[in-house]
């Protein structure tokens, strides 16, 4: 089965500094990739997705992510964070070769933006 | 287009009680899933469905039942509530793409359940 690893469980960063949240997955064969954001006491909201095409994907709120097939990574970046970016971020993978569920989440990264 | 709706938003149960968490989607999605979220443990899959009449177990199915009689609805039943089932429950849906992979999941707002 596919596995998704978010290497950092907590990331503190100062306001207006850049941030990178890392995500690696286990199988490089034919996947779709997603990043979700969860603000406190809310549900999950899609930030961006990679289905095909350009490996650099832009999402909402100034976030972007780069698909690297050789390194099986999909890291999320933002050049300048705001206080409002404080949230939990989840990486997810949809795998064509799995039957049944096909959808796998990482354990999440808690981003805290410090004023 | 309401997306994915869940009721209730909050619920308090006593140990041993049963209840059903409701989930509905109006996007005609084939896939529906139930997750629970606990501090420090991310999202854990309870049960999922790949279409009406078809359900299967996820990572943590014990103590929960599901059914999928229509495309729209996917209720989650707690048979005999236990304190270990105190959690936030999310329902999600997605469609199957032409490539056979699932598209992004759309999440409901969640149900916060406390079992005393």
């Amino acid at each position: 089965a596919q596995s998704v690893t978010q290497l950092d469980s907590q990331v503190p960063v100062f306001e207006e500094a850049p941030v990178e949240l890392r995500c690696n997955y286990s199988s490089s064969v034919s996947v779709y990739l997603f990043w979700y954001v969860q603000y406190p006491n809310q549900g999950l909201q899609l930030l961006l997705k990679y289905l095909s095409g350009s490996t650099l994907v832009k999402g909402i709120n100034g976030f972007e992510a780069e698909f690297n097939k050789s390194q099986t990574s999909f890291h999320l970046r933002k050049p300048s964070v705001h206080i409002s970016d404080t949230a939990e971020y989840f990486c997810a993978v949809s795998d064509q070769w799995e039957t049944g569920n096909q959808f796998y989440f990482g354990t999440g990264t808690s981003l805290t933006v410090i004023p | 287009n309401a997306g994915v709706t869940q009721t209730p938003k909050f619920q308090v149960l006593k140990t041993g009680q049963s209840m059903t968490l409701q989930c509905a989607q109006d996007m005609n999605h084939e896939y529906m899933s139930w997750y629970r979220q606990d501090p420090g443990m991310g999202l854990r899959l309870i049960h999922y469905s790949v279409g009406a009449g078809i359900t299967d177990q996820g990572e943590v199915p014990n103590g929960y039942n599901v059914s999928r009689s229509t495309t729209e609805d996917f209720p989650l039943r707690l048979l005999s509530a236990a304190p270990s089932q105190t959690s936030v429950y999310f329902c999600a849906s997605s469609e199957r793409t032409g490539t056979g992979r699932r598209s992004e999941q759309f999440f409901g707002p969640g149900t916060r359940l406390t079992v005393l």
Side-chain angles (χ1 to χ4, degrees):
Chain A
Q2 184 75 244
S3 68
V4 182
T5 302
Q6 292 184 242
L7 295 163
D8 305 299
S9 59
Q10 295 184 332
V11 174
V13 62
F14 286 104
E15 192 174 14
E16 297 184 5
V19 70
E20 178 179 81
L21 307 184
R22 296 178 292 170
C23 174
N24 287 88
Y25 56 96
S26 59
S27 171
S28 63
V29 179
S30 196
V31 294
Y32 289 164
L33 299 159
F34 310 90
W35 275 99
Y36 286 84
V37 60
Q38 184 181 32
Y39 299 106
N41 299 313
Q42 294 188 25
L44 275 75
Q45 176 184 356
L46 184 69
L47 259 184
L48 49 79
K49 62 185 177 184
Y50 170 79
L51 305 182
S52 65
S54 172
T55 57
L56 183 63
V57 179
K58 295 192 183 298
I60 62 172
N61 301 339
F63 283 93
E64 63 182 31
E66 186 154 20
F67 169 52
N68 188 319
K69 187 174 182 178
S70 63
Q71 296 187 7
T72 60
S73 68
F74 191 54
H75 300 332
L76 181 70
R77 301 185 184 99
K78 186 169 183 178
S80 175
V81 295
H82 302 289
I83 296 290
S84 59
D85 293 324
T86 293
E88 189 86 15
Y89 291 81
F90 293 94
C91 180
V93 175
S94 173
D95 190 331
Q96 179 182 21
W97 302 109
E98 294 285 332
T99 58
N101 176 47
Q102 294 186 325
F103 209 96
Y104 304 91
F105 281 94
T107 52
T109 297
S110 178
L111 175 65
T112 301
V113 180
I114 304 164
Chain B
N1 192 334
V4 180
T5 58
Q6 290 183 239
T7 56
K9 285 188 169 51
F10 301 94
Q11 183 70 49
V12 178
L13 293 177
K14 294 181 180 178
T15 296
Q17 287 184 316
S18 62
M19 78 160 296
T20 299
L21 308 186
Q22 301 291 345
C23 174
Q25 53 94 6
D26 61 0
M27 297 172 282
N28 202 33
H29 285 169
E30 291 184 47
Y31 288 94
M32 295 188 75
S33 304
W34 275 103
Y35 295 89
R36 60 177 290 173
Q37 185 177 33
D38 303 292
M41 303 194 73
L43 293 163
R44 292 186 290 171
L45 182 66
I46 305 171
H47 286 283
Y48 66 97
S49 169
V50 300
I54 308 170
T55 63
D56 205 348
Q57 297 181 350
E59 182 185 353
V60 289
N62 291 341
Y64 308 95
N65 272 358
V66 292
S67 60
R68 183 104 179 265
S69 56
T70 66
T71 299
E72 294 78 19
D73 299 299
F74 191 44
L76 178 72
R77 296 183 187 84
L78 279 71
L79 308 174
S80 177
S84 60
Q85 293 178 305
T86 294
S87 187
V88 181
Y89 291 85
F90 290 102
C91 179
S93 74
S94 64
E95 62 181 355
R96 185 195 300 271
T97 67
T99 63
R101 280 163 285 189
R102 292 179 67 175
S103 68
E104 69 266 31
Q105 294 201 72
F106 293 80
F107 282 82
T111 295
R112 191 172 296 270
L113 176 68
T114 301
V115 182
L116 302 175

